[in-house]
Amino acid sequence: MPKDIGQLFHDETKYHRHRMPRGSGFRFKDPEPFKTYPNPLSVVELPPPDEEGGIPLWTALSRRRSRRDYSAKPITREQLSQLIWGSYGVSGRYGTYYLRTAPSAGALYPVETYLVVNSVEEVEPGLYHYNPPKHNLEQLKKGDLGKDLARACLGQGMVATASVVFVWTGIAARSKGKYGERAFRYIYMDAGHIGENLYLSAEALGLGCCGVGAFYDDEVNQVIGVDGKEETAIYLGTVGSLL
Ligand SMILES: Cc1cc2nc3c(=O)[nH]c(=O)nc-3n(C[C@H](O)[C@H](O)[C@H](O)COP(=O)(O)O)c2cc1C
């Protein structure tokens, strides 16, 4: 790896008042604003989320902590629905745009949500992809993937004991057409907003949550079935019932 590649990336993607980049030099043909899997193993419909109420915001902020010890009690399908919507669900429309609970640079929404379900009531363990406009889950794999995912996350036990693990990927093409290489900054920022939304949603439901940035990238990509180039895992979040 070139020395100081992080600094180089930061320098090369800076905006300067008198020297703005002239675009990325290429355009993608209308990249899809969200991904769908045409032939899932099954589709899990989620109950409509509550869009009002919950605990006061200041309470959620002051209580929020990273919680890594979970009980074996499964979370409910209603809680799962609320967590997904709260972190990155659809909360409005603007023309053809589906606006989400997390902000996104240029409203391009380059982040996709996958779930490794370990123990959720009425939802079979396995791998799922979230379809935001339909608010449902496309099942991609069946079975217990928690241990494989934990191994891919440097052996972090909470990944296997959590009820559900959110895996967020980035599809750079969605943002690069507008922002060029600077898009990568925005994709990570978007993921940070989504992660905090998950923390606060979990807190509001009385559940524990922890962000996970330490993982073997290609091993996580393999578990969720993405190529690591056009689409790659960028951040994860575990959620489970508290002890
Ligand atoms: C980008 C990011 C990556 C993180 N990765 C991990 C991780 O891999 N494992 C872990 O146990 N905690 C992880 N954390 C949680 C931090 O350790 C935690 O936020 C920090 O210690 C502050 O504690 P608090 O969240 O309870 O306030 C991560 C947090 C962030 C924001």
Side-chain angles (χ1 to χ4, degrees), residues 2 22 25-26 29-30 62-63 78 83 85 107 113 118 123 125 135-136 158 171 238 242-243:
R22 267 189 274 132
F26 58 92
K29 262 200 280 162
D30 300 329
S62 64
R63 282 191 197 158
E78 285 71 20
L83 291 165
W85 179 80
T113 304
N118 294 330
V123 184
H135 191 59
N136 66 22
M158 64 183 170
I171 299 183
T238 58
L242 295 171
L243 290 171

Side-chain angles (χ1 to χ4, degrees), residues 114-167:
Y114 294 80
L115 302 174
V116 168
V117 169
N118 294 330
S119 57
V120 177
E121 284 176 6
E122 303 168 73
V123 184
E124 195 183 10
L127 172 70
Y128 297 83
H129 170 260
Y130 177 54
N131 183 316
K134 293 187 175 161
H135 191 59
N136 66 22
L137 299 176
E138 298 153 347
Q139 188 181 29
L140 307 180
K141 291 183 185 177
K142 287 178 189 235
D144 177 10
L145 301 170
K147 289 194 185 69
D148 290 347
L149 192 61
R151 211 172 301 122
C153 293
L154 278 62
Q156 298 189 69
M158 64 183 170
V159 174
T161 55
S163 289
V164 60
V165 184
F166 286 65
V167 185

